[in-house]
Amino acid sequence: MATDTETGRDRTGNAVVNWMEGLSEAAYAYLLLLPAFALLTLIAFYPLLRTFLTSLREDQTRGAEPLGGFVGIENYVDILTGNARLARQFLDVSVSASFPFVEFGVPIFQQALFVTLGFAVISVFFETVIGFGQAYVLDQDFRGRRWVRVAIILPWAVPIVIQGMIFFLLFQPEVGFGSDLMQWLGIFGANPLADSRDAFIIILVADIWKSSAFMALLILAGLQSVDRSLYNVARVAGASPWQRFKLITLPLVMPALLVAMLFRTMDAMRVFGLIESTAGCTTVPSLTCLVVEAMFGGTRIFATAAAVAFATALVIGLIISVYVFFFRDTEGGLY
């Protein structure tokens, strides 16, 4: 009896092995990724689906139930047109005519969307340029390179709250010298952390100071994977340093560069801690600020908060799609 059972198990195992051997390389790769897809569905897509379903309900500000009946896309229409209750959250923002991100009368979702997109585009651009320069320097052989690496990486090790407090104290009037210096130069006003334009610039500088090191680390990994013999061949052929950079370094490091930009863009689109610990969400509102204020601001507008959160996810998904398009071009050899 035991022998028959073992024989049946062997036949089943052989059938599974034969089936797996008959799979194509792409099908076999998807089979290996199936557990990861299942885990991703459990921890990412299911909460996203629940958020979307919550956003289709009505805000219930009274009673024991947190949500009301089904209202469809009404919450999305409200946040786009400025009729959502969370629009009252940021009406006391210091308005500056030269700062188009925050203007009185503009729907608050658009204000937060403009702030978040502007922050992501500007910060990722400068972090990429600075990080590439730092990585290019660290890729060279020179004495003291180890200590230079430590100095470049050190800002990335600073926690976000500590980072925010550093810049908060630096530009706090009568406390830090940054406020007086910028006012003397005619760049900032008397209280920059209370002005939307000035605070936005301060938060940008703080993020660039910290996150350029992250970009440098990822780009450095790409630079060190380049075959050094290619540079020797280029030198023998008479290629200038700019030609070597343009024809060898940049094309080969482009995949790592796009990965670094993708990670930083996703992180920048979720910015909250740095804003809240530096100037506060009422001065520089972001999309994540809207969600947090709607969820925990005491108004119980959970459905509206879910709508803003899901809309933010859609924006981030669109940005990821753009990066995926560039990844495809890189693999196709267009660079």
Side-chain angles (χ1 to χ4, degrees):
M1 184 68 67
T3 303
D4 294 340
T5 302
E6 292 177 357
T7 303
R9 291 176 179 175
D10 292 340
R11 291 176 179 175
T12 303
N14 292 333
V16 172
V17 171
N18 293 333
W19 174 73
M20 294 178 63
E21 289 180 349
L23 295 175
S24 63
E25 292 186 2
Y28 186 69
Y30 282 119
L31 179 64
L32 295 179
L33 290 174
L34 188 60
F37 286 150
L39 183 61
L40 183 63
T41 301
L42 180 63
I43 65 176
F45 290 114
Y46 177 72
L48 188 62
L49 176 61
R50 291 290 300 176
T51 300
F52 175 68
L53 294 177
T54 302
S55 69
L56 302 179
R57 305 279 294 277
E58 183 182 8
D59 291 323
Q60 190 80 4
T61 58
R62 297 179 180 179
E65 295 295 329
L67 296 172
F70 179 82
V71 294
I73 62 172
E74 182 178 328
N75 291 321
Y76 293 94
V77 175
D78 288 341
I79 64 175
L80 289 174
T81 57
N83 294 325
R85 291 189 183 95
L86 56 81
R88 300 178 181 273
Q89 299 279 343
F90 299 113
L91 288 182
D92 294 330
V93 174
S94 299
V95 180
S96 176
S98 61
F99 189 46
F101 301 116
V102 182
E103 289 187 37
F104 186 81
V106 177
I108 187 60
F109 180 79
Q110 296 182 22
Q111 293 180 17
L113 181 61
F114 293 158
V115 169
T116 306
L117 290 176
F119 175 84
V121 171
I122 298 174
S123 63
V124 171
F125 172 78
F126 283 102
E127 288 162 8
T128 302
V129 173
I130 296 173
F132 201 110
Q134 292 174 338
Y136 197 76
V137 171
L138 294 178
D139 192 47
Q140 311 301 317
D141 292 326
F142 58 89
R143 291 189 59 183
R145 183 175 62 174
R146 179 183 305 174
W147 300 107
V148 175
R149 285 185 177 182
V150 172
I152 290 177
I153 297 173
L154 187 60
W156 178 247
V158 178
I160 293 178
V161 176
I162 303 300
Q163 173 197 8
M165 291 304 300
I166 290 173
F167 281 84
F168 171 79
L169 295 175
L170 181 62
F171 290 96
Q172 187 69 19
E174 301 179 359
V175 176
F177 67 89
S179 177
D180 295 335
L181 178 61
M182 294 296 102
Q183 186 178 2
W184 179 72
L185 294 175
I187 299 177
F188 289 166
N191 190 2
L193 295 178
D195 182 86
S196 295
R197 181 186 64 86
D198 297 344
F200 182 79
I201 296 174
I202 292 172
I203 293 171
L204 270 176
V205 172
D207 189 73
I208 293 171
W209 171 76
K210 175 181 173 66
S211 300
S212 295
F214 174 77
M215 299 291 287
L217 287 176
L218 294 184
I219 297 173
L220 179 62
L223 287 174
Q224 293 187 339
S225 66
V226 178
D227 187 0
R228 304 295 170 173
S229 63
L230 296 176
Y231 295 109
N232 296 331
V233 173
R235 290 189 185 95
V236 173
S240 64
W242 168 247
Q243 290 175 326
R244 295 197 296 269
F245 174 81
K246 179 182 178 181
L247 300 177
I248 298 177
T249 303
L250 190 59
L252 295 180
V253 82
M254 186 60 69
L257 182 63
L258 288 175
V259 169
M261 292 177 63
L262 173 61
F263 286 163
R264 272 304 305 144
T265 303
M266 293 172 59
D267 193 38
M269 289 294 296
R270 302 191 306 265
V271 60
F272 169 74
L274 179 60
I275 293 177
E276 184 63 24
S277 59
T278 305
C281 287
T282 54
T283 305
V284 183
S286 68
L287 292 176
T288 308
C289 286
L290 291 187
V291 178
V292 174
E293 290 292 334
M295 286 292 296
F296 307 107
T299 53
R300 289 169 53 95
I301 48 176
F302 301 136
T304 300
V308 177
F310 190 78
T312 304
L314 290 180
V315 174
I316 295 176
L318 179 61
I319 294 174
I320 292 175
S321 301
V322 174
Y323 276 105
V324 169
F325 174 78
F326 279 105
F327 273 122
R328 184 192 67 179
D329 288 348
T330 302
E331 293 173 357
L334 296 182
Y335 287 102

